[in-house]
Amino acid sequence: MNEMTTEQRAAFEAANSGQAFTAADVGVSVVSVAVVILIFWLAWIAISAYQSLRNPGTNVSDAAGKLVRAVFVVMVAIAVMNLNWDA
């Protein structure tokens, strides 16, 4: 993440005076919520892929392909969220 300028940091601290959290804490909270949402989405995809096996004409490779694509999307999203955006 980009560091805040001194003006931005001063405005953040002035708006949150008396609070026990910092801007870094807010960033960690946002990323944590996003990761939890991605994990729930991945679980939903896994359950739907498993349930799709009951349908005629669906084979294991179709369900596994759906799950592998979802795992790849989650891995890329988590990697992007953990990048150091200092430029």
Side-chain angles (χ1 to χ4, degrees):
M1 279 178 98
N2 292 332
E3 289 293 321
M4 293 190 297
T5 64
T6 55
E7 295 85 15
Q8 290 172 329
R9 186 173 306 281
F12 181 84
E13 290 172 359
N16 296 307
S17 61
Q19 301 296 324
F21 58 87
T22 63
D25 295 336
V26 174
V28 168
S29 298
V30 168
V31 170
S32 299
V33 168
V35 169
V36 168
I37 290 171
L38 283 171
I39 290 172
F40 276 123
W41 176 75
L42 182 60
W44 178 50
I45 294 293
I47 291 169
S48 69
Y50 176 73
Q51 289 176 345
S52 71
L53 292 174
R54 293 185 291 187
N55 297 333
T58 304
N59 56 19
V60 175
S61 63
D62 292 338
K66 180 191 279 189
L67 188 58
V68 167
R69 284 190 302 268
V71 168
F72 180 74
V73 168
V74 169
M75 288 173 49
V76 168
I78 289 174
V80 168
M81 284 188 280
N82 287 323
L83 285 177
N84 189 359
W85 292 99
D86 293 336

